[in-house]
Amino acid sequence: MEINSQLKTAPPLSSTTTRTYDKGAHGQRNDTTRRIEAEILRVCKWENPIRSAVILVSLLTSIILTHRHSLLQIITGTLTIAITVNLLYVFATQFTQTVISDQPSTHPWSNVLDNKDINLLNKESAAHYSSIMVDVAETVARAVTRIVLIEDRNTSLKWLAIFFTTWRISAYVPSRILILIFIISAFIFPRLYISNKDLIDARLHQGQAILHSQIQRTQEFANSKLSTAREATQTYVNKTKSAVESKPNSTDFSTNSTTPSVPIQKLD
C-alpha cells in the first residue's frame, strides 16, 4: 500500500526536463550565433585592420588556389614543401653541431618527437568548435525553415528576390566569381557605409520614398482598372440575365400567335 501511494503521489516522468534542456540549448545556440555574427561584423568593419586584412587575404588566396589547383595538389604540394624545408633544417642543424662542437648531434625536433604525452590535437578545442558548428548549422536550418514556410511574408519575399537573382546570375557567372564578389563586398561596403553614413541614409530614405510612391500609384492604377473591369463585368452579366429572362416570354407569345386553327367539321 505504501508503495502504491508513493507511486500515485510521485510526479509523472513528463518531458519537463527535456523541454528545459531544449530551451537552454536553444538559448545557447542563439547566444553562439549572436557572438559569431558580432565577430563577423567586427572583422568586416575593420575594427582590427591587421586581422581583417589577414582574413581577407587568406580567403581570397584559398579561393584562387582552389580555382587553379585541385585540393589534392594543394595538400601534396604543402606536404612536399614542409618535408623539404624540415629536411634541410635538420641536416643543417646536425651538421653544424657536429662540425662546431665536435659532439654527437641531436635532433632539433626531439622535444616533440620524444614527448609521448603531447597532444597534437586538443580534444576539448575540437569538441568546442564542433559544438559551435552544430549550433550555427541548427540556426541556419531554423532560419531557412522560417523563410520557406513563410513565417513572415516580407522576409520571405526579400529572400525570394535574393535567391532568384542569385539563381539567374549564377547561370552566366561562375560560382567562384560570385563568392569573390560577395567576400570583397562584405569587406568594403560596411566600412564604406560607416564612412558615409549620413549621405547613404539620406539616399536610402529618398529611394524608399520614391519606391513607396511608385508602389502606391501602381496600387491605385490597379484598383481603378479592377473596379472598371468589375463594373463592365457586372453590366454584361445584367444584360445577359435580362436577355435570358425576356427570351421565354417572347417565345411563348410567338408560339401562341402561330398556332394553326383546327377546322370545325360539320356533323351530317
Side-chain angles (χ1 to χ4, degrees):
M1 294 297 292
E2 292 180 356
I3 296 174
N4 293 330
S5 61
Q6 289 179 359
L7 291 175
K8 290 180 180 179
T9 57
L13 295 175
S14 60
S15 59
T16 305
T17 306
T18 306
R19 290 177 182 175
T20 305
Y21 174 76
D22 290 340
K23 289 181 180 179
H26 184 60
Q28 185 179 2
R29 290 191 184 99
N30 290 333
D31 294 338
T32 303
T33 307
R34 292 192 192 97
R35 289 197 298 270
I36 293 173
E37 289 177 354
E39 189 66 26
I40 292 173
L41 286 176
R42 282 195 291 269
V43 172
C44 294
K45 289 179 180 178
W46 294 79
E47 294 184 359
N48 188 352
I50 297 176
R51 183 184 179 190
S52 298
V54 169
I55 293 175
L56 177 60
V57 171
S58 300
L59 290 174
L60 295 179
T61 304
S62 62
I63 292 173
I64 293 173
L65 285 177
T66 54
H67 175 64
R68 295 183 177 180
H69 306 282
S70 64
L71 187 61
L72 180 61
Q73 287 179 324
I74 294 173
I75 294 174
T76 53
T78 304
L79 292 175
T80 301
I81 294 172
I83 293 172
T84 303
V85 170
N86 278 287
L87 185 64
L88 295 175
Y89 172 71
V90 170
F91 178 76
T93 302
Q94 292 179 346
F95 179 77
T96 304
Q97 290 175 355
T98 304
V99 171
I100 294 177
S101 60
D102 291 333
Q103 294 178 358
S105 61
T106 59
H107 198 284
W109 298 112
S110 59
N111 57 347
V112 177
L113 297 174
D114 297 336
N115 191 355
K116 304 297 183 180
D117 297 329
I118 190 171
N119 292 324
L120 298 178
L121 294 177
N122 192 346
K123 295 181 180 180
E124 295 180 357
S125 299
H128 174 67
Y129 287 114
S130 62
S131 177
I132 290 176
M133 292 178 63
V134 171
D135 293 341
V136 173
E138 176 69 18
T139 304
V140 172
R142 287 182 180 275
V144 172
T145 303
R146 294 190 187 99
I147 292 170
V148 173
L149 299 182
I150 320 298
E151 182 184 22
D152 185 12
R153 187 179 301 173
N154 294 327
T155 304
S156 297
L157 288 175
K158 178 184 71 176
W159 283 104
L160 175 63
I162 293 172
F163 290 147
F164 179 77
T165 304
T166 307
W167 174 42
R168 297 309 302 167
I169 293 175
S170 61
Y172 304 98
V173 181
S175 300
R176 287 187 176 88
I177 302 298
L178 292 177
I179 294 173
L180 286 173
I181 293 173
F182 175 76
I183 292 173
I184 295 173
S185 301
F187 278 86
I188 290 177
F189 287 113
R191 191 62 189 176
L192 186 64
Y193 174 75
I194 293 173
S195 302
N196 304 279
K197 185 176 184 300
D198 296 333
L199 179 61
I200 294 174
D201 288 340
R203 295 298 183 185
L204 287 175
H205 288 306
Q206 184 179 2
Q208 288 177 358
I210 295 173
L211 181 62
H212 181 70
S213 63
Q214 292 294 332
I215 292 174
Q216 189 174 2
R217 290 179 183 176
T218 304
Q219 288 179 351
E220 292 176 355
F221 178 76
N223 290 330
S224 63
K225 290 296 183 181
L226 185 60
S227 61
T228 303
R230 189 181 299 167
E231 291 176 358
T233 304
Q234 188 65 34
T235 303
Y236 178 77
V237 170
N238 293 333
K239 288 182 179 180
T240 305
K241 187 184 292 184
S242 61
V244 170
E245 289 177 352
S246 62
K247 188 174 180 180
N249 295 329
S250 60
T251 305
D252 293 339
F253 178 76
S254 61
T255 53
N256 290 330
S257 60
T258 57
T259 301
S261 59
V262 180
I264 299 174
Q265 295 180 358
K266 294 181 179 182
L267 298 174
D268 293 338

